[in-house]
Amino acid sequence: MTTRDRILNEALTLFAQNGYDGTSVEEIAEKVGIKAPSLYNHFKGKEDILNALIDMAEARYEEFFGSDRHIGKLPESKEEFIQTAIQKVSFTMCDPMIRKMRKFLVREQFRNERFAAITTKHQLSGIQGMYAKIIEGMMRQGLFKEDDPELLATEVTAPVALWIAKADRQPDCEQACMASVEKHIRHFCDVYMTE
Amino acid sequence: MTTRDRILNEALTLFAQNGYDGTSVEEIAEKVGIKAPSLYNHFKGKEDILNALIDMAEARYEEFFGSDRHIGKLPESKEEFIQTAIQKVSFTMCDPMIRKMRKFLVREQFRNERFAAITTKHQLSGIQGMYAKIIEGMMRQGLFKEDDPELLATEVTAPVALWIAKADRQPDCEQACMASVEKHIRHFCDVYMTE
DNA sequence: TTGACAGACTAATAACCATTAGTTATACTG
DNA sequence: CAGTATAACTAATGGTTATTAGTCTGTCAA
């Protein structure tokens, strides 16, 4: 792993923990194991690190939500839909790297329009669009009752987003949050799926 | 309005705009119209202001979500439920003071357990509990189909919370957000209410 | 009128922070 | 081996920040 990558990594950790303004260049350098001025061999300055991180985040979400590849094959039963969904949520909630990205974004979302747009894509339009496609596909196969896929996507994903946010704030209730998520998804399927 | 209150007011505005670490004591004093050192006649220091603000927020949410008074009389028809809900959302979304409080809280939610708990109360448990009571009451009157009131409360409030958050980031799409909210609430009522 | 007090001011301090300049050592490349 | 680029270091600069000490002014009660 290159020094540049290690800097980005430690910066993300600290920004997620204490925010951009709450983190000093010296802190970052210390975590990397170099002196602060050496950091200027890799980045033009503190803000340059921030921009590199938001570039990363944008690329990641673009790749994840933009292509249809991540949708994979459509679930073929109610139980498969539920299991797939829960697994995705559990991963998203607990994976340390994704959690750091998310906290970083939540903290800095008001910094400028670009941060705002990426946050919206991540929290709302991205996941919603992805699930809209899945639900639309399953509707065509008769697994979901006829309805507006976009609306259903919002209704299933929004509560999950709030519970994930709660788990980010209070990591000790991850299990409780996952239980709520499962209960919610099962209820959603009971209402909107066929049979 | 006392100087102390003006300090709190301007501090909240700046904290919501630029965050706690992004705001200097001098900026606050300048907005109030006094010099920075004079501010120490009213507060022990910068962090003291922060704590006073979070005290305010906690008291406010405690009063708002704790008592049953704010629920008022239960809506007696589908349309009344929808109109009441939309009006509440519109007010919450647009009122400048509430918006500042919300942005302040979102920015500082990771500061410590207290901030985290208050944020959760505001974003999740508070509003959800309030709507659970309303829906439960309306269920008893036969306006809602028999179901778990807590689950329904989450399903109706969570998407709204995300759209309000989006409007906080991108105030130019308040109208679009309100339109989405209305569409969502109407759909929710079509699915879960009787008739 | 006097005295107390709240609350503003000026001035100063000590810490911290991002950044720059200049130097040195190590590791490839011809 | 020579030369060059990379990337680390030390030291210093300029600016900002929170905070404190001490002083001055106006207001109200005795």
Side-chain angles (χ1 to χ4, degrees):
Chain A
M1 204 198 232
T2 135
T3 306
R4 189 190 150 91
D5 287 337
R6 277 191 299 147
I7 292 171
L8 285 176
N9 207 33
E10 299 299 342
L12 178 63
T13 305
L14 287 165
F15 290 170
Q17 216 166 75
N18 309 322
Y20 177 78
D21 289 322
T23 303
S24 73
V25 176
E26 200 172 335
E27 272 178 286
I28 301 171
E30 197 183 9
K31 288 264 180 185
V32 175
I34 62 178
K35 299 292 174 183
S38 308
L39 196 142
Y40 288 79
N41 290 319
H42 305 273
F43 294 93
K44 281 194 289 185
K46 193 184 179 187
E47 199 164 341
D48 197 29
I49 301 176
L50 183 73
N51 289 327
L53 282 175
I54 202 68
D55 285 346
M56 268 177 56
E58 189 166 38
R60 189 188 182 110
Y61 292 135
E62 199 55 52
E63 184 220 15
F64 194 74
F65 296 131
S67 80
D68 287 354
R69 184 166 43 74
H70 58 278
I71 295 181
K73 84 163 181 51
L74 291 176
E76 287 165 10
S77 71
K78 183 189 277 189
E79 199 53 33
E80 196 189 340
F81 176 84
I82 293 172
Q83 288 308 327
T84 313
I86 288 175
Q87 201 193 325
K88 274 184 198 162
V89 174
S90 174
F91 176 74
T92 305
M93 186 187 284
C94 304
D95 182 82
M97 184 66 182
I98 298 180
R99 166 164 285 176
K100 272 189 269 181
M101 277 269 189
R102 203 166 47 224
K103 288 179 76 170
F104 165 64
L105 218 53
V106 167
R107 276 178 165 281
E108 308 301 333
Q109 62 181 310
F110 301 111
R111 189 161 287 271
N112 59 45
E113 296 80 5
R114 195 168 164 226
F115 279 75
I118 297 174
T119 307
T120 296
K121 166 163 272 178
H122 172 245
Q123 270 189 6
L124 205 58
S125 51
I127 301 184
Q128 182 199 309
M130 173 174 143
Y131 262 89
K133 281 181 196 166
I134 295 176
I135 291 173
E136 194 182 2
M138 292 174 74
M139 239 173 231
R140 267 199 295 271
Q141 295 177 347
L143 286 161
F144 270 89
K145 295 175 192 166
E146 212 52 46
D147 207 325
D148 181 340
E150 300 249 333
L151 266 179
L152 295 204
T154 307
E155 291 186 15
V156 71
T157 57
V160 173
L162 289 194
W163 275 308
I164 289 180
K166 183 186 177 186
D168 284 341
R169 285 189 295 271
Q170 298 156 311
D172 53 309
C173 56
E174 263 174 23
Q175 287 187 354
C177 289
M178 275 310 298
S180 296
V181 166
E182 176 159 359
K183 200 172 163 193
H184 155 67
I185 292 178
R186 288 198 177 276
H187 181 262
F188 171 82
C189 291
D190 287 342
V191 172
Y192 293 106
M193 290 185 83
T194 50
E195 276 172 298
Chain B
M1 203 197 230
T2 136
T3 306
R4 187 190 151 91
D5 286 336
R6 278 192 296 145
I7 292 171
L8 285 177
N9 208 32
E10 298 300 341
L12 178 62
T13 306
L14 288 165
F15 290 171
Q17 219 166 75
N18 309 322
Y20 177 79
D21 289 321
T23 303
S24 73
V25 175
E26 201 171 334
E27 271 179 286
I28 301 172
E30 196 183 9
K31 289 262 180 187
V32 174
I34 61 177
K35 300 290 174 185
S38 307
L39 197 141
Y40 288 80
N41 289 320
H42 305 272
F43 292 95
K44 280 194 288 184
K46 193 184 178 187
E47 199 165 341
D48 197 29
I49 301 176
L50 183 75
N51 288 328
L53 282 175
I54 201 69
D55 285 347
M56 269 177 54
E58 189 166 38
R60 187 187 185 112
Y61 292 133
E62 199 55 52
E63 185 220 16
F64 194 75
F65 295 130
S67 82
D68 287 353
R69 184 167 43 75
H70 59 277
I71 295 182
K73 83 163 183 48
L74 291 177
E76 288 166 8
S77 72
K78 183 189 277 190
E79 198 55 31
E80 195 189 339
F81 176 83
I82 292 173
Q83 290 306 328
T84 314
I86 288 176
Q87 202 192 324
K88 274 184 198 161
V89 173
S90 174
F91 175 74
T92 305
M93 187 187 283
C94 304
D95 182 82
M97 183 68 182
I98 298 180
R99 168 165 284 177
K100 271 189 269 182
M101 276 271 188
R102 201 167 48 224
K103 287 179 76 169
F104 165 63
L105 218 53
V106 167
R107 277 177 165 283
E108 308 302 334
Q109 62 181 311
F110 300 112
R111 190 161 286 273
N112 58 47
E113 296 81 4
R114 198 170 161 224
F115 278 75
I118 297 174
T119 307
T120 296
K121 165 162 274 178
H122 172 245
Q123 269 189 8
L124 206 59
S125 51
I127 302 185
Q128 182 199 309
M130 173 175 142
Y131 263 88
K133 281 181 195 166
I134 294 175
I135 291 173
E136 194 182 2
M138 292 175 74
M139 238 173 232
R140 266 198 295 272
Q141 294 177 348
L143 285 161
F144 269 89
K145 296 174 191 165
E146 212 52 47
D147 206 325
D148 180 341
E150 300 249 334
L151 265 179
L152 294 204
T154 306
E155 290 186 15
V156 72
T157 57
V160 174
L162 289 194
W163 275 307
I164 290 180
K166 183 186 177 186
D168 284 342
R169 284 189 295 271
Q170 299 156 313
D172 55 307
C173 56
E174 264 174 23
Q175 287 187 354
C177 288
M178 276 309 299
S180 296
V181 166
E182 177 160 358
K183 199 172 163 192
H184 155 66
I185 293 179
R186 289 199 178 276
H187 182 263
F188 171 82
C189 290
D190 287 341
V191 172
Y192 292 107
M193 290 185 84
T194 50
E195 280 169 294

